[in-house]
């Protein structure tokens, strides 16, 4: 099971590889594609405008990423050291779903979106790790479903707090 523990501790690294693409590309991509978003997906563009996504600096977006990175690192390391596989599985499935959402976004948008390259690159890690997790039968299928749901709910809650702090930082940064 040491291979699985190694893969579990890799989750924060894989997360950051993925989020580096988002950090580097998001601001310029949003600026270049805002009008197309407004025309093709007006509700999404309205939501992003209302949440001030177009106003966030790269530094402010980094605050949100750091928030998520700290959470996923704490959960991953704690899960490995204390065998809290349920909590790690919740974080892992939230990340896996996050990647799948990016792949669907890319399929719908039909051109590059920030995060698609690393979403595709990290998908083998997710699939292999999930297969190994299932192989070791650490949770029943029902437990996996429950913890995946818990992970998704917690991910939404953590995104809300992450972008709350990002917006606060953005306001502070603009005053400087």
């Amino acid at each position: 099971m040491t291979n699985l523990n190694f893969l579990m501790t890799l989750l924060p690294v894989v997360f950051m590889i993925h989020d580096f693409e988002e950090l580097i590309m998001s601001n310029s991509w949003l600026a270049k594609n805002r009008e197309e978003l407004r025309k093709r997906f007006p509700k999404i563009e309205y939501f992003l405008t209302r949440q001030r996504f177009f106003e966030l600096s790269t530094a402010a977006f980094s605050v949100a990423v750091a928030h998520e990175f700290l959470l996923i690192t704490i959960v991953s390391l704690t899960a490995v050291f204390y065998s809290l596989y349920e909590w790690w599985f919740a974080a892992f499935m939230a990340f896996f779903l996050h990647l799948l959402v990016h792949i669907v976004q890319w399929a719908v948008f039909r051109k590059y979106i920030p995060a698609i390259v690393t979403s595709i690159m990290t998908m083998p890690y997710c699939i292999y790790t999930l297969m190994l997790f299932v192989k070791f039968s650490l949770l029943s299928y029902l437990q996996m479903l429950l913890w995946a749901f818990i992970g998704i709910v917690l991910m939404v809650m953590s995104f809300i707090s992450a972008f709350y702090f990002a917006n606060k930082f953005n306001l502070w940064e603009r005053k400087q």
Side-chain angles (χ1 to χ4, degrees):
M1 196 142 74
T2 55
N3 192 22
L4 180 60
N5 285 340
F6 173 72
L7 292 170
M8 289 171 66
T9 58
L10 271 184
L11 182 59
V13 175
V14 173
F15 169 84
M16 277 313 303
I17 289 169
H18 168 70
D19 268 40
F20 282 141
E21 182 184 7
E22 288 184 283
L23 277 171
I24 293 165
M25 302 304 292
S26 286
N27 278 357
S28 62
W29 187 90
L30 284 170
K32 290 176 187 168
N33 290 279
R34 186 172 187 174
E35 192 55 39
E36 185 173 352
L37 285 171
R38 186 185 334 252
K39 289 177 185 172
R40 291 180 58 196
F41 310 102
K43 290 181 181 179
I44 293 171
E45 193 276 339
Y46 176 73
F47 173 79
L48 294 175
T49 299
R50 202 175 73 230
Q51 298 303 315
R52 298 189 201 118
F53 274 79
F54 295 107
E55 299 171 24
L56 288 180
S57 67
T58 300
F61 189 68
S62 297
V63 169
V65 170
H67 177 278
E68 297 302 299
F69 175 73
L70 286 172
L71 289 175
I72 209 162
T73 300
I74 290 167
V75 168
S76 294
L77 295 178
T78 303
V80 169
F81 290 127
Y82 296 105
S83 300
L84 299 171
Y85 298 107
E86 303 88 350
W87 287 102
W88 178 84
F89 190 78
F92 171 75
M93 289 307 293
F95 175 69
F96 198 172
L97 177 69
H98 175 83
L99 296 179
L100 292 173
V101 166
H102 284 314
I103 291 170
V104 169
Q105 288 171 329
W106 173 62
V108 169
F109 201 68
R110 287 176 270 149
K111 64 182 189 180
Y112 174 81
I113 62 162
I116 191 56
V117 173
T118 54
S119 291
I120 292 169
M121 281 176 42
T122 57
M123 197 54 64
Y125 159 83
C126 289
I127 293 167
Y128 178 71
T129 303
L130 179 60
M131 288 171 44
L132 207 56
F133 195 89
V134 170
K135 176 184 173 186
F136 284 116
S137 301
L138 297 170
L139 301 173
S140 70
Y141 289 114
L142 187 58
Q143 288 173 313
M144 284 191 268
L145 189 61
L146 172 66
W147 283 97
F149 176 76
I150 290 170
I152 292 163
V153 169
L154 292 175
M155 175 182 64
V156 169
M157 291 170 50
S158 72
F159 278 3
I160 292 168
S161 65
F163 283 99
Y164 170 80
F165 291 121
N167 277 308
K168 289 291 184 192
F169 181 85
N170 204 46
L171 291 172
W172 173 83
E173 185 180 38
R174 287 176 181 218
K175 290 179 183 177
Q176 298 304 312

